[in-house]
Every structure is written in C-alpha cells, then in structure tokens.
Amino acid sequence: LRAAIDQAVEAPFSISAIFFLTALAEGHDLAFAVDKVGTKLLPTWQACVGVWYPVQIVNQGLIPLQYRVFFQAFISFFWDTFMCI
C-alpha cells in the first residue's frame, strides 16, 4: 500500500516539479515549462511506476534493513541516468 500511494501521489508531483523547474532553469519561459510537463509527465510517470513500484516492493519485502538505502541508491543511479536522456 505504501508503494502504491507513493507512486500515485508523490511521483507525479516530483516528476512535474523536475520538468518544470529544469525548463525554467534552462531559460525557457513559463509556457514552455508547462508544455514540457504536459508532454513528458505521463510517459515518464508510466516508466517510473514500471521501475519504482517493483523496486519498492522488493526493497520493503526482501532486502534486509541495513541494505535498503544502498539498494535504493543503486537503482536510483540507473533511474537518474535514464531521466537525463
């Protein structure tokens, strides 16, 4: 349940914020930033759910507590690389 709530509530907000703020930081106007969110949010969120929902289930259910941060960081490295493409 915790993973589902995270993917349904927190992920779309975070993804939108990343696209919106990076567009503004790159010097684009507000309209471009809003359009970028509208264009990229759904496919990115779908990929996010496909990666992070199973990762969270494995992390919370199978990974020993002392290795959870390392496991999350390891997967995050590849996710962050994907997001930069």
Side-chain angles (χ1 to χ4, degrees):
L1 181 62
R2 183 173 156 193
I5 291 171
D6 180 52
Q7 292 304 313
V9 177
E10 189 269 334
F13 174 78
S14 296
I15 294 166
S16 296
I18 289 167
F19 285 138
F20 186 80
L21 294 173
T22 56
L24 294 179
E26 291 169 349
H28 298 288
D29 62 10
L30 194 59
F32 179 87
V34 170
D35 185 54
K36 185 174 183 178
V37 171
T39 302
K40 292 192 168 196
L41 176 60
L42 184 60
T44 305
W45 179 73
Q46 289 170 330
C48 179
V49 169
V51 170
W52 286 108
Y53 188 74
V55 166
Q56 288 177 336
I57 297 298
V58 168
N59 199 31
Q60 294 168 20
L62 300 175
I63 304 296
L65 185 60
Q66 67 267 29
Y67 300 119
R68 288 182 185 175
V69 172
F70 174 76
F71 178 74
Q72 199 84 357
F74 180 77
I75 302 299
S76 183
F77 172 79
F78 294 101
W79 174 254
D80 293 344
T81 302
F82 168 75
M83 287 293 289
C84 290
I85 297 173

